[in-house]
Amino acid sequence: MEDILHHSIIKYSFEKDEYIILEKGFFILLIMNGTASLDNAVQQYKIKKNDLIILTPSMTHKLHEKSHDFTITCIYIHPDYFDTLSDGQVMYHQLSRFTNQYNIPILSLNTSTLSYLQETMHLISESLEQFRFYKSGIISHLCNFLLLQITDILCQNNQEVSICIKRTDEIFRNFKKLSSHNYRNHHDILFYANNLNISTTYLSRIVKNITGHTVHFHISELLCTEAKRLLDTTDMGIKEIADELGFSDQSVFGKFFVKATGVSPLKYRKR
């Protein structure tokens, strides 16, 4: 489905036994049946039938240990395309607050809500190929419709959060975008504050108020996730990984990794 891929929106189902890596985009997952495990650098989750999960580009997730009857519907939205959607920021505003409490939002839906959401997701399908002149607009409207549905569900489950988008929300969103593109080479808060044209104190306060975590925590989370991926999936040496991730030397990287995971990079690789 050429134009769908051009817009970086893909819909598919997982039924195979091997693990699946979900990264570098927004993923909207509907668990239709069965159970599975979903891991990131911080935590492991058990997901089950009727769960709605929303993943952001800031972390890599691994889907595995699926039951034999596990089925899932998934929409993937590329971050650049997400930014063009008029209702993307509205959903992200709710999402950022929600992750403060749960790390990633996993919502158990009732059957009617799940069915309706699935119907919307099914509209983004190969059938859109029949449209020639207004396909891009149709796709955009469908995505915004889906995001607003999810935003409403998030609001119902997080009623203490205002539905208004403030400047601080935009700054936080821009910080997350900047960090996902630059964390390998820039570990310091000054780089991000300068690029956002604000002070380091103001940026620290915004990130802490929205997520409950520091700027350093968010950067370290990205670094740790990528370090684990490189240790797991490549034959790069520890020094090479340290260089790749912008550490001054192997020793500094080693201390960082031990503090984040409790084991050295070498022990992690040999585990």
Side-chain angles (χ1 to χ4, degrees):
M1 189 165 148
E2 211 167 301
D3 285 347
I4 291 291
L5 291 173
H6 174 72
H7 288 91
S8 301
I9 301 171
I10 308 166
K11 175 182 159 186
Y12 48 97
S13 293
F14 301 129
E15 296 178 354
K16 295 183 179 179
D17 292 334
E18 66 267 18
Y19 68 83
I20 299 142
I21 299 297
L22 306 173
E23 61 181 356
K24 299 178 181 178
F26 290 88
F27 289 85
I28 300 163
L29 312 175
L30 271 184
I31 313 304
M32 309 311 300
N33 205 14
T35 61
S37 291
L38 184 69
D39 302 355
N40 58 34
V42 179
Q43 202 165 340
Q44 181 181 85
Y45 305 87
K46 197 71 175 178
I47 55 178
K48 63 187 186 309
K49 181 180 178 181
N50 285 22
D51 280 350
L52 164 67
I53 301 113
I54 305 104
L55 307 178
T56 64
S58 61
M59 291 193 73
T60 296
H61 292 83
K62 178 181 177 181
L63 185 65
H64 64 116
E65 295 180 1
K66 302 183 294 295
S67 63
H68 71 281
D69 57 345
F70 182 75
T71 54
I72 184 172
T73 298
C74 174
I75 294 286
Y76 164 79
I77 305 178
H78 191 281
D80 292 339
Y81 186 62
F82 183 90
D83 289 339
T84 70
L85 298 171
S86 58
D87 295 307
Q89 183 61 43
V90 178
M91 189 194 84
Y92 196 86
H93 167 62
Q94 294 297 326
L95 197 60
S96 62
R97 260 60 174 203
F98 209 89
T99 56
N100 183 22
Q101 299 177 33
Y102 300 98
N103 198 16
I104 65 170
I106 299 178
L107 306 173
S108 184
L109 306 182
N110 60 50
T111 303
S112 60
T113 303
L114 181 83
S115 298
Y116 194 82
L117 205 57
Q118 186 185 25
E119 287 177 15
T120 303
M121 293 172 75
H122 280 169
L123 291 173
I124 305 173
S125 69
E126 286 75 11
S127 300
L128 289 171
E129 287 297 331
Q130 64 185 296
F131 299 103
R132 293 180 57 194
F133 302 109
Y134 296 98
K135 181 161 54 178
S136 295
I138 292 169
I139 293 169
S140 176
H141 281 294
L142 285 174
C143 286
N144 280 310
F145 180 43
L146 177 63
L147 294 182
L148 283 177
Q149 285 178 274
I150 293 170
T151 303
D152 195 271
I153 293 169
L154 289 170
C155 284
Q156 292 179 48
N157 286 272
N158 196 21
Q159 294 179 1
E160 294 181 0
V161 176
S162 166
I163 62 173
C164 299
I165 298 176
K166 303 175 183 177
R167 179 171 180 264
T168 53
D169 299 308
E170 295 179 2
I171 291 172
F172 176 71
R173 168 78 175 121
N174 288 329
F175 161 69
K176 293 296 283 185
K177 285 171 59 181
L178 267 174
S179 61
S180 66
H181 286 100
N182 295 282
Y183 70 91
R184 291 178 184 83
N185 299 316
H186 298 282
H187 305 172
D188 56 304
I189 186 174
L190 183 61
F191 169 83
Y192 300 99
N194 286 344
N195 275 271
L196 295 169
N197 296 312
I198 58 176
S199 69
T200 56
T201 303
Y202 189 40
L203 177 58
S204 295
R205 189 186 311 132
I206 289 170
V207 174
K208 183 72 172 178
N209 287 344
I210 289 177
T211 68
H213 296 295
T214 64
V215 170
H216 177 72
F217 173 88
H218 287 274
I219 302 301
S220 296
E221 201 172 57
L222 291 167
L223 287 167
C224 187
T225 299
E226 182 64 4
K228 286 181 175 180
R229 187 190 71 81
L230 293 172
L231 289 166
D232 281 334
T233 63
T234 74
D235 61 357
M236 292 173 65
I238 306 301
K239 185 180 184 307
E240 289 179 286
I241 293 175
D243 293 340
E244 175 74 13
L245 296 180
F247 289 91
S248 56
D249 57 47
Q250 182 176 332
S251 175
V252 174
F253 169 63
K255 289 176 182 176
F256 162 82
F257 195 84
V258 169
K259 185 176 180 180
T261 67
V263 296
S264 69
L266 192 58
K267 284 185 178 179
Y268 178 84
R269 174 168 273 173
K270 288 180 177 180
R271 74 197 187 287

